[in-house]
């Protein structure tokens, strides 16, 4: 049996949905204009085709050959507050796949790791995590950088700290100009302006390593680092420490004990299981919880 009231509600709902769709398309067109992907004349062409065919604005623009699928994905990401970059944009390292290829299998794996960390660690009120490896070429710095990006894409105020005071890599990865950093902060030679915001990602900041000190292990073990760590936890939702590998020193033990937790990064067919076991044992002896390990393949 037909209901006049139900029919009226359905008609109103359909009108609302149509209006929302038109507003969505209008916003997409405006963003494409702002990005320089469309000219005002192109915009009119797309609207004409959209009116003639009834398809969505983005699909019409692609059919006309005015934009590509990558352009549409970028605009959708902006509309849904999911920032990422197109190839070559912002000058970051192309190895930051979370920044440039957010829909790739590698980044899906990163998001899965992020979900586990949110459930098993950060949901417990924790704010910091040390990213630790055994060998210099295990890929820990690359993993830490990409993990920081996916946390920022989630909307978490994220700070990546390059605590590898022996061979730092984050300054180059994020195309930061030479500047003071963690070591200078700990030595009292710099303030919190040493922390750099990453313009492409509103919720991501990086604290580079700064001047390479002659005594990295001692510098990280002092009360100055404990005090700094407490302040960073008060200002950020997620603090990730990229550490020097165990093969070159045990700096990671001091930092991981303050953070309370560590994630071990290993490399397939490269990192020795015995070495992983010894690193995990040293971390646990320092009162650090080892949350698990990640296997990098490259």
């Amino acid at each position: 049996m037909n209901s006049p009231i139900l029919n009226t509600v359905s008609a109103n709902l359909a009108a609302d949905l149509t209006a929302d769709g038109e507003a969505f398309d209008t916003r997409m067109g405006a963003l494409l204009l702002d990005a320089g992907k469309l000219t005002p004349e192109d915009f009119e062409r797309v609207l004409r085709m959209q009116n003639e065919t009834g398809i969505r604005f983005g699909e019409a623009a692609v059919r006309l050959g005015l934009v590509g699928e990558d352009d549409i994905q970028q605009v959708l990401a902006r509309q849904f507050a999911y920032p990422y970059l197109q190839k070559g944009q912002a000058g970051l390292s192309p190895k930051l796949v979370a920044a440039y290829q957010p829909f790739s299998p590698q980044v899906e794996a990163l998001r899965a790791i992020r979900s586990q960390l949110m459930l098993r660690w950060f949901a417990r009120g924790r704010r910091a995590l040390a990213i630790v490896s055994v060998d210099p070429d295990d890929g820990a710095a690359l993993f830490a950088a990409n993990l920081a990006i996916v946390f920022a894409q989630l909307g978490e105020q994220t700070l990546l700290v390059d605590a590898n005071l022996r061979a730092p890599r984050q300054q180059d990865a994020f195309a930061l100009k030479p500047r003071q950093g963690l070591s200078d902060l700990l030595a009292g030679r710099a303030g919190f302006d040493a922390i750099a915001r990453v313009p492409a990602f509103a919720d991501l900041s990086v604290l580079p390593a700064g001047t390479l000190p002659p005594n990295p292990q001692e510098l990280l073990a002092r009360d100055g680092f404990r005090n700094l760590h407490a302040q960073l936890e008060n200002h950020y939702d997620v603090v990730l420490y990229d550490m020097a590998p165990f093969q070159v020193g045990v700096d990671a033990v001091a930092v991981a004990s303050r953070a309370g937790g560590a994630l071990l990064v290993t490399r397939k067919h490269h990192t020795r299981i015995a070495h992983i076991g010894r690193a995990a044992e040293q971390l646990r002896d320092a009162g650090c919880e080892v949350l698990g390990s990640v296997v990098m393949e490259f």
Side-chain angles (χ1 to χ4, degrees):
M1 178 177 178
N2 290 332
S3 166
I5 296 176
L6 181 58
N7 290 340
T8 301
V9 171
S10 298
N12 289 340
L13 179 59
D16 288 342
L17 290 174
T18 301
D20 287 345
E22 291 173 353
F24 186 84
D25 280 351
T26 302
R27 288 196 297 273
M28 173 171 284
L31 288 170
L32 288 169
L33 276 170
D34 290 342
K37 301 296 182 180
L38 294 178
T39 66
E41 292 76 17
D42 293 334
F43 187 88
E44 293 294 333
R45 288 178 61 195
V46 176
L47 285 180
R48 282 197 298 270
M49 183 176 187
Q50 186 184 15
N51 291 332
E52 292 169 2
T53 61
I55 61 178
R56 302 304 295 267
F57 187 96
E59 185 180 350
V62 171
R63 284 193 188 183
L64 288 169
L66 299 172
V67 298
E69 291 291 346
D70 287 345
D71 298 318
I72 299 301
Q73 290 294 335
Q74 184 104 28
V75 169
L76 286 171
R78 289 179 63 186
Q79 287 181 309
F80 287 95
Y82 183 68
Y84 75 96
L85 302 171
Q86 291 185 323
K87 185 177 180 180
Q89 191 177 0
L92 307 188
S93 168
K95 294 182 179 180
L96 297 180
V97 292
Y100 292 108
Q101 303 172 49
F103 311 112
S104 63
Q106 298 97 318
V107 182
E108 287 295 340
L110 276 166
R111 283 193 282 267
I113 294 169
R114 179 190 67 190
S115 296
Q116 289 297 316
L117 291 173
M118 290 296 291
L119 289 170
R120 296 175 53 194
W121 188 245
F122 295 104
R124 292 160 50 186
R126 298 288 192 169
R127 294 289 184 94
L129 183 68
I131 308 300
V132 183
S133 67
V134 174
D135 301 314
D137 51 358
D138 281 346
L142 181 61
F143 173 79
N146 280 287
L147 186 64
I149 291 172
V150 296
F151 269 111
Q153 288 171 331
L154 187 63
E156 300 290 324
Q157 285 291 321
T158 304
L159 175 65
L160 174 61
V161 181
D162 195 341
N164 184 345
L165 302 183
R166 299 169 186 266
R169 299 184 181 181
Q170 301 303 343
Q171 180 169 296
D172 291 339
F174 286 94
L176 302 177
K177 295 179 180 178
R179 58 193 297 138
Q180 293 179 307
L182 174 62
S183 63
D184 305 287
L185 257 169
L186 294 175
R189 299 172 57 241
F192 284 99
D193 55 351
I195 297 174
R197 296 293 296 267
V198 179
F201 300 94
D203 296 316
L204 178 60
S205 299
V206 177
L207 176 56
T211 307
L212 296 188
N215 57 338
Q217 186 176 340
E218 291 79 10
L219 198 60
L220 293 168
R222 292 174 182 166
D223 286 343
F225 176 74
R226 181 187 63 188
N227 297 333
L228 173 63
H229 169 73
Q231 293 179 71
L232 296 178
E233 282 196 317
N234 286 333
H235 283 86
Y236 294 91
D237 301 318
V238 174
V239 180
L240 299 178
Y241 290 104
D242 173 25
M243 298 306 312
F246 267 91
Q247 191 182 83
V248 299
V250 291
D251 307 1
V253 172
V255 175
S257 65
R258 298 297 186 198
L263 189 65
L264 285 166
V265 177
T266 66
R267 183 176 173 186
K268 188 176 182 180
H269 303 314
H270 183 270
T271 312
R272 295 182 177 276
I273 294 176
H275 294 171
I276 300 169
R278 282 200 292 271
E281 183 178 359
Q282 289 184 67
L283 290 168
R284 293 191 185 100
D285 287 345
C288 172
E289 183 175 343
V290 179
L291 300 181
S293 62
V294 174
V295 179
M296 298 284 283
E297 184 175 0
F298 57 91

